[in-house]
Every structure is written in C-alpha cells, then in structure tokens.
C-alpha cells in the first residue's frame, strides 16, 4: 500500500480566493468546446428527490486528454434557510484516472455559482441581440445575482433592469448590489416586465410558469436556469414551440431541463455555436431560449484550474491519504 500520497482539501474560503470571473468564462467555454467535439464525456446525471425534502444529484465526466476525472455531488435543501444555512450544497471530487486515487476535494458551491453565471453570460453573447438594453430577472437569490453580474459584464448596452420576486415585494439588498451599474427597479407585473425586455433571465426554484407566453415579444432572448430536475419549470406552455431553442446538452435538457416539457422541440447545443458546427444566424424577430441544465464538464474544467493554482500557491489543507 502506498502511504506517501496526500489529498488536497479546498474549503469555501480557499475556493473563493482562487476563483476569478475571467477564468470561469474560459473554463466554461472550454467545457462547451470539449463537449461539442466529444473530447470530454458527460456521464448520466443522477437527480433525485429525498424524503427529507431535499434534492440530491451527481454530475460526473472525464476528459481523457487532460487526465481529468471527477464528479460533483450537489443538491438543494430548502429547509436549510430556517437554520441559517445555504440551501444549495455542492462538493467536487477529482481523481487520478490512471489509479482511481482521489486527489482533491473542493467546496463546490462557489464553483457552481460561477460556472453557471459564466454559462449564462456566454449564452447572452452568442444569442441575445448585441444592442440589448433592457433585462428582466426573475429571482433575487445567489444564481439571479451571478446571472445579472455576468450579463452586465458582457452586454455593454444593458442599462435597464427590472426584477420580479416570488413574494411580489422589492428586495433592497438585490437593488443595492447593482444600483451603481444599471437602472434597477422592482416590477410588480411580470408580464409587463417581460414585454418591455430584450433579455429575460429566469433563476428561481422552478415551481411553475413565471409569466404568460404572449408576453414574450419578437427579438427577445431568454436564459433559463431554474429547471434542473424532473417536474421543474419556469416557462409557460406553448412558448418553446415558438422559439429557437439552444441547450447545453440535448439529452440532459430533455430529461431535467425546461425542454422536458417539449421534448420533441428541435434544439441545438451551445457548444456547437462556439466550434462553428452550427450558426446562430439570428433574425430580428427570432425568440431564442438557452435552456441551462449545467454540464459536469463545466464543474470539472473550472475545478481543475483551481486545483492547479492551489498546488502552485500552497492554498488549502493537505492530508495523508494512503492507497
């Protein structure tokens, strides 16, 4: 038995210190490209409801050429809020593919947040009209915040933001976070906010349709984040039949994404836009949707970069791990 091996542990503080927004964008672009070229594998997703009221999932994959193998165990436990905890929980584990030995345990919450925000930003760059100036955001939680962060970062014309909350009340902390970067205000009428927007971002728990289909006007782009489990949805009935639909992974989107509600709808993978396999060729009247279910490769490519930087900088805690 080898007794000199060690396992690196990177907690939340270490990950957040090592994580850079630009690197998240690079890692997610890399993940989409690897997936498009089928140079990285995405294994079947586990996503199951628990009797405790939580949802538990595993996303895994590998990139043989990079010696990259791992998984993210993650889920959502809404009852955590009542005890002052974070409902989203995620842990990433990287392995040596030659031996199966674990090499790094990484807190996955910050990685999940950053890579999903970056994926949304790439979706906007590829699919939204470049001059888009008005956005509507559903939700004010962690994912709504990071989606808007990347939207403002990557869409220079975006200046006006309306947001919708499930309680129908303003969120002063959400407004304060973005007040210096855009004209932001609470919207009491979801349909009106959607109708006035070039970009719609849905980042809610996916409990049901958030607005009426007829509110979406021609030329709108929608980034949909909340449907990531069987039975979840944010879009209204009849909308997907009217749009050009893009997904991160076609099989996964039909199983757990917004596309589960219209599985026969033609769709294209966003990675194929990045590699030139398909062209967006957006017409002014097109309505586009990016159904984001999250790829294991996004987690793994970003985790690999953080792991490498941690080894260089000495971050984290290293513990003996005989094998």
């Amino acid at each position: 038995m080898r007794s000199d091996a060690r396992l690196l542990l990177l907690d939340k503080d270490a990950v957040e210190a090592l994580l850079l927004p630009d690197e998240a964008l690079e890692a997610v672009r890399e993940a989409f490209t690897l997936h498009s070229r089928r140079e990285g594998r995405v294994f079947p997703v586990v996503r199951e409801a628990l009797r405790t009221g939580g949802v538990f999932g595993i996303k895994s994959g590998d990139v043989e050429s990079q010696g990259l193998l791992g998984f993210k165990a993650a889920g959502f436990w809404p009852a955590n809020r009542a005890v002052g905890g974070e409902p989203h929980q995620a842990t990433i584990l990287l392995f040596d593919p030659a031996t199966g030995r674990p090499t790094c345990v990484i807190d996955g919450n910050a990685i999940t947040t950053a890579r999903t925000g970056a994926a949304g930003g790439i979706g906007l760059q590829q699919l939204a009209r470049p001059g888009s100036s008005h956005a509507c955001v559903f939700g004010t939680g962690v994912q709504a915040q990071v989606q808007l962060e990347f939207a403002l970062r990557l869409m220079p014309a975006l200046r006006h933001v309306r947001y919708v909350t499930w309680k129908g009340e303003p969120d002063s902390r959400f407004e304060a976070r973005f007040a210096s970067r855009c004209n932001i205000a609470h919207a009491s009428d979801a349909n009106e906010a959607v109708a006035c927007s070039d970009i719609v971002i849905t980042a809610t728990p996916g409990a049901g349709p958030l607005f009426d289909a007829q509110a979406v006007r021609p030329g709108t782009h929608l980034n949909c984040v909340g449907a990531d489990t069987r039975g979840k949805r944010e879009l209204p009935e009849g909308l997907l039949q009217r749009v050009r639909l893009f997904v991160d992974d076609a099989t996964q989107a039909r199983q757990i994404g917004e596309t589960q509600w219209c599985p026969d709808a033609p769709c294209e993978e966003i990675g194929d836009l990045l590699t030139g396999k398909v062209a967006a060729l957006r017409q002014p009247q097109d309505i586009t949707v990016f159904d984001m279910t999250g790829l294991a490769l996004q987690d793994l490519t970003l985790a690999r970069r953080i792991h490498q930087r941690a080894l260089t900088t000495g971050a984290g805690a290293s513990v003996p791990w005989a094998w």
Side-chain angles (χ1 to χ4, degrees):
M1 177 178 288
R2 291 281 302 274
S3 60
D4 59 342
R6 302 187 71 84
L7 176 65
L8 182 62
L9 308 178
L10 297 174
D11 65 10
K12 175 179 180 292
D13 292 338
V15 171
E16 290 180 347
L18 294 167
L19 191 110
L20 304 173
D22 285 344
E23 189 166 55
L25 281 166
E26 292 172 5
V28 172
R29 285 194 187 99
E30 179 187 16
F32 284 148
T33 299
L34 288 166
H35 190 52
S36 174
R37 294 173 176 164
R38 297 307 185 251
E39 295 173 3
R41 292 192 295 174
V42 174
F43 304 148
V45 172
V46 173
R47 190 77 175 172
E48 298 294 337
L50 305 176
R51 292 184 179 179
T52 61
V55 176
F56 177 71
I58 296 175
K59 291 181 177 178
S60 56
D62 71 350
V63 182
E64 183 178 358
S65 64
Q66 298 180 0
L68 180 59
L69 171 68
F71 69 80
K72 180 177 75 175
F76 186 73
W77 285 263
N80 286 3
R81 290 194 181 97
V83 294
E86 168 56 49
H88 293 92
Q89 294 295 317
T91 303
I92 295 170
L93 187 57
L94 300 180
F95 297 87
D96 177 353
T99 64
R101 182 179 67 84
T103 58
C104 190
V105 178
I106 309 176
D107 179 275
N109 277 17
I111 287 177
T112 301
T113 298
R115 63 84 155 151
T116 310
I122 291 171
L124 294 179
Q125 284 182 316
Q126 294 294 314
L127 298 170
R129 288 177 289 123
S132 296
S133 59
H134 290 70
C136 173
V137 180
F138 285 83
T140 60
V142 171
Q143 198 49 239
Q145 292 172 34
V146 75
Q147 290 295 323
L148 185 52
E149 287 278 0
F150 275 94
L152 292 169
R153 183 185 184 91
L154 299 175
M155 301 297 290
L158 185 56
R159 291 289 181 268
H160 305 279
V161 175
R162 298 295 175 264
Y163 69 96
V164 182
T165 60
W166 72 274
K167 288 185 177 180
E169 299 174 355
D171 185 327
S172 58
R173 287 184 297 178
F174 186 74
E175 290 188 21
R177 177 166 180 165
F178 299 103
S180 65
R181 301 167 61 188
C182 62
N183 173 9
I184 186 167
H186 177 255
S188 58
D189 187 320
N191 285 333
E192 181 180 2
V194 168
C196 294
S197 297
D198 306 300
I199 293 168
V200 176
I201 297 169
T202 61
T204 75
L210 300 170
F211 49 86
D212 297 332
Q214 60 266 29
V216 182
R217 61 184 175 84
T220 304
H221 172 70
L222 300 93
N223 268 2
C224 302
V225 183
D228 59 1
T229 306
R230 288 188 299 272
K232 284 189 175 185
R233 74 181 308 172
E234 296 179 305
L235 299 184
E237 185 71 29
L239 181 60
L240 288 183
Q241 290 88 336
R242 298 168 45 205
V243 310
R244 289 196 62 192
L245 178 60
F246 294 83
V247 300
D248 40 25
D249 179 84
T251 299
Q252 193 169 289
R254 291 185 177 111
Q255 291 174 341
I256 62 174
E258 202 66 52
T259 308
Q260 70 184 282
W261 302 103
C262 191
D264 295 328
C267 65
E268 296 167 300
E269 294 187 352
I270 195 135
D272 290 343
L273 288 178
L274 298 177
T275 59
K277 287 185 177 181
V278 301
L281 299 175
R282 181 186 239 289
Q283 301 301 313
Q285 302 301 302
D286 283 346
I287 299 171
T288 51
V289 168
F290 182 23
D291 182 10
M292 303 166 54
T293 55
L295 293 178
L297 292 176
Q298 297 169 354
D299 299 304
L300 297 181
T301 53
L302 185 51
R304 174 176 56 83
R305 292 166 184 250
I306 290 173
H307 181 207
Q308 291 172 340
R309 184 174 295 113
L311 294 175
T312 301
T313 62
S318 179
V319 299
W321 199 267
W323 64 285

